[in-house]
Amino acid sequence: MNQHIEWRLPRSPRSAGRARAFLAGQAKDWKLPDDTTETAVLLLSELVTNACRHARVPPGREVWTRCVLRRDGVLRIEVSDASDVLPRPRAAAPDEESGRGLALVEALADAWGAYPRACGIGKTVWFEVGAGVGGDGVRDHRGCAALEGVEEEPMSETTRSSRHLSGMRGARYGEVLLISPSEDGGLKAAVYNTFGLNDCPLDKWNALDARALAEQFQVPMVFLNGPRFWTIDEVTTYAWGDVEKFDGLEARWAAEVRIPPDIDVSGASARKYYVETTVARDTEYVLAAGRPVYALVGPGERMYVLQAYSHTVDGSQTIDSLATLGDRLRLPEGWRFRVGTPDEDLHVRTADNKATVVQDELENTYMLHVR
């Protein structure tokens, strides 16, 4: 199976040296050939140097390095930073002391490329060295010259694995949505979730300033979605992203939301309720047998299972009050609220790496159960 390790480095002149030392030590543990190690250490140093020296990003942003040793012996290294500017090789003048980093990568790597990060802001630059590269050396991501207009996968297949979390029902979390224009002229949001990192402490959550965060992360708008409380029991996540700090509150990239044009993200109207929204994520929720399941049933008997209730509108909601939630909702014609207790575990899975969700007017969130 694939082996991988990750490091987070500050944007400091010393980080390239630290990255070299980390990789050299890991290469010994993985028993890599000396020539592979020497090449990888050199190229990693160049990419980390570029990320620290040239990427124009807000203060405090880190450089993320991921190293993957594949089953076929190929070593893949990815360096991510918060700059959206994709690198382009250039010819350095003979008297220049810098500017040769990407030229070295292009000359020494078996394959390399760069792509915008779908699971976070910024970009990832990657290269591969070692046995098993055929053809022109380009594998599952396109090189820089082929990137324009191409939508990359949120995470390389070499680094995808599952994470399982349980004991979730009633647990508090918060979401930070970084909203920006999408490629089709609409809006999209990178969703960062605190669950698994902290319990969304109220003092830190209430201190967050959406306008200040929007300026810090260089996006037009930030939406603070919470506090929220899970109504599922377990989740298996098959794709996830990096951890960011929002005024000291850690949250991990969890999904990308495409915001429909009829949803008012400003909150000035009620048009965002009972409207389907597509969320790019790959998850499987489990609601345990013998425990209540709350759901909306819409036109065509489409069932949306409650995944979380919110304190954004009504801070008095509790897990026990959900039994009578249907009495409080102003449901559109053709909709109804339902409570049931399944005899077997209920599995609610995304379809084609996408979830379809709706919210009620209390901003409780429901996911379509595809049966």
Side-chain angles (χ1 to χ4, degrees):
M1 63 182 295
N2 298 333
Q3 305 175 69
H4 72 276
I5 190 167
E6 300 175 356
W7 307 300
R8 293 171 67 182
L9 302 167
R11 295 185 66 249
S12 162
R14 298 182 179 181
S15 288
R18 293 176 63 189
R20 290 195 297 269
F22 290 154
L23 180 54
Q26 188 61 44
K28 290 182 179 179
D29 291 343
W30 283 344
K31 297 181 174 57
L32 296 180
D34 290 343
D35 57 343
T36 298
T37 300
E38 290 174 6
T39 301
V41 167
L42 173 62
L43 300 187
L44 172 62
S45 178
E46 294 294 336
L47 293 188
V48 172
T49 297
N50 284 350
C52 292
R53 181 180 296 173
H54 302 301
R56 296 183 178 180
V57 300
R61 307 309 297 271
E62 296 177 310
V63 176
W64 192 287
T65 300
R66 177 181 288 116
C67 303
V68 182
L69 179 60
R70 294 193 341 210
R71 286 173 293 182
D72 59 3
V74 171
L75 178 66
R76 180 186 179 99
I77 292 180
E78 302 174 353
V79 176
S80 302
D81 62 57
S83 170
D84 294 327
V85 180
L86 296 176
R88 302 284 181 180
R90 69 180 182 87
D95 58 344
E96 285 188 278
E97 295 182 358
S98 62
R100 296 178 175 83
L102 282 181
L104 280 173
V105 173
E106 193 169 42
L108 299 179
D110 295 311
W112 80 280
Y115 57 92
R117 290 164 62 200
C119 50
I121 56 179
K123 66 176 179 299
T124 294
V125 185
W126 62 270
F127 67 85
E128 292 177 352
V129 293
V133 178
D136 60 3
V138 177
R139 295 177 178 273
D140 51 356
H141 288 293
R142 301 148 178 89
C144 288
L147 272 172
E148 293 183 6
V150 175
E151 188 170 324
E152 289 287 347
E153 295 183 1
M155 189 173 293
S156 66
E157 290 298 323
T158 59
T159 59
R160 286 171 68 99
S161 57
S162 62
R163 298 171 70 236
H164 182 78
L165 299 169
S166 58
M168 298 176 64
R169 189 174 292 235
R172 182 176 60 204
Y173 70 97
E175 291 180 335
V176 180
L177 279 66
L178 306 183
I179 300 175
S180 60
S182 61
E183 299 79 7
D184 59 3
L187 293 175
K188 63 181 180 180
V191 182
Y192 288 81
N193 192 305
T194 65
F195 189 74
L197 298 169
N198 54 70
D199 66 348
C200 187
L202 292 180
D203 57 340
K204 289 189 175 182
W205 180 261
N206 292 333
L208 294 179
D209 184 325
R211 290 186 178 180
L213 289 175
E215 182 176 351
Q216 177 186 347
F217 285 88
Q218 298 181 341
V219 294
M221 183 184 302
V222 167
F223 179 70
L224 302 176
N225 188 25
R228 307 181 66 78
F229 300 82
W230 291 111
T231 53
I232 62 175
D233 296 287
E234 303 175 33
V235 65
T236 301
T237 303
Y238 299 93
W240 63 93
D242 299 339
V243 174
E244 295 285 355
K245 288 185 178 180
F246 301 93
D247 287 347
L249 181 67
E250 288 193 325
R252 184 186 299 277
W253 182 94
E256 181 178 273
V257 178
R258 296 286 171 160
I259 302 174
D262 54 349
I263 285 187
D264 176 19
V265 294
S266 71
S269 75
R271 296 169 62 197
K272 63 181 176 181
Y273 305 126
Y274 306 101
V275 175
E276 287 189 346
T277 300
T278 300
V279 181
R281 58 176 163 86
D282 191 3
T283 56
E284 181 174 4
Y285 292 160
V286 177
L287 295 94
R291 308 192 75 174
V293 172
Y294 312 97
L296 290 174
V297 180
E301 293 299 299
R302 289 165 67 85
M303 186 172 80
Y304 305 83
V305 175
L306 181 66
Q307 66 182 46
Y309 69 90
S310 174
H311 276 183
T312 306
V313 176
D314 182 0
S316 69
Q317 286 198 106
T318 66
I319 196 79
D320 294 327
S321 71
L322 296 177
T324 58
L325 175 60
D327 298 334
R328 304 177 58 200
L329 299 178
R330 297 187 297 273
L331 296 170
E333 184 177 354
W335 291 70
R336 66 183 188 276
F337 184 79
R338 188 170 78 185
V339 183
T341 304
D343 296 328
E344 299 179 349
D345 289 353
L346 177 65
H347 294 254
V348 183
R349 185 76 162 86
T350 52
D352 298 324
N353 298 334
K354 293 181 176 63
T356 300
V357 302
V358 298
Q359 285 193 335
D360 62 30
E361 62 266 34
L362 300 180
E363 299 193 0
N364 306 316
T365 303
Y366 307 74
M367 175 177 164
L368 177 65
H369 179 32
V370 181
R371 291 169 287 182

